[in-house]
Amino acid sequence: QVHLVESGGGLVQPGGSLRLSCAASGRFFSINVMGWYRQAPGKDRELVAVTVSGGRTNYADSVKGRFTISRDNDENTVTLQMSSLKVEDTAVYYCNAEGIDYGGTMTNYWGQGTQVTVSS
């Protein structure tokens, strides 16, 4: 079982920056993938950025060059540094983790979500 706790959302003006953090806790063997998704009102949840334990990352085209994902494997945390924020980045951001238990079962976990609002 993996418990994800997010922090760092809020209100920011266009062009500003925010930093989201997510910490994983619980009893698990390992976490393979950690990342961030977002869901704007009336839209489907979409991938923002993910990172696998080996360090490879993947970003949505809409955030490339503006957002940076980083991970601390020892602390089981993942951070999303968001810069040059746009109004269209407004959404609830969810931390996601793919955890593997001691029996080898892989399960997908979600955080509770944190609101990011970009507005002047």
Side-chain angles (χ1 to χ4, degrees):
Q1 186 78 12
V2 176
H3 183 57
L4 301 174
V5 177
E6 302 134 333
S7 61
L11 173 65
V12 64
Q13 292 186 341
S17 299
L18 275 178
R19 182 183 178 95
L20 304 182
S21 296
C22 174
S25 62
R27 190 175 182 274
F28 50 87
F29 175 71
S30 68
I31 295 179
N32 183 26
V33 181
M34 291 190 81
W36 293 91
Y37 288 71
R38 68 186 180 187
Q39 187 167 19
K43 295 188 177 181
D44 293 334
R45 190 173 296 188
E46 63 177 3
L47 179 145
V48 177
V50 293
T51 177
V52 298
S53 57
R56 191 174 72 251
T57 58
N58 187 33
Y59 293 91
D61 287 342
S62 60
V63 307
K64 283 180 181 177
R66 300 187 298 121
F67 291 10
T68 302
I69 190 169
S70 59
R71 177 175 173 175
D72 185 326
N73 290 322
D74 293 333
E75 299 292 329
N76 291 311
T77 59
V78 64
T79 299
L80 184 69
Q81 179 65 47
M82 305 184 292
S83 302
S84 301
L85 282 160
K86 304 176 181 179
V87 172
E88 51 264 43
D89 293 318
T90 296
V92 178
Y93 284 68
Y94 295 90
C95 180
N96 175 265
E98 185 180 89
I100 301 173
D101 64 23
Y102 287 93
T105 300
M106 185 181 298
T107 304
N108 207 27
Y109 296 92
W110 294 94
Q112 79 282 2
T114 185
Q115 178 70 45
V116 171
T117 302
V118 185
S119 175
S120 56

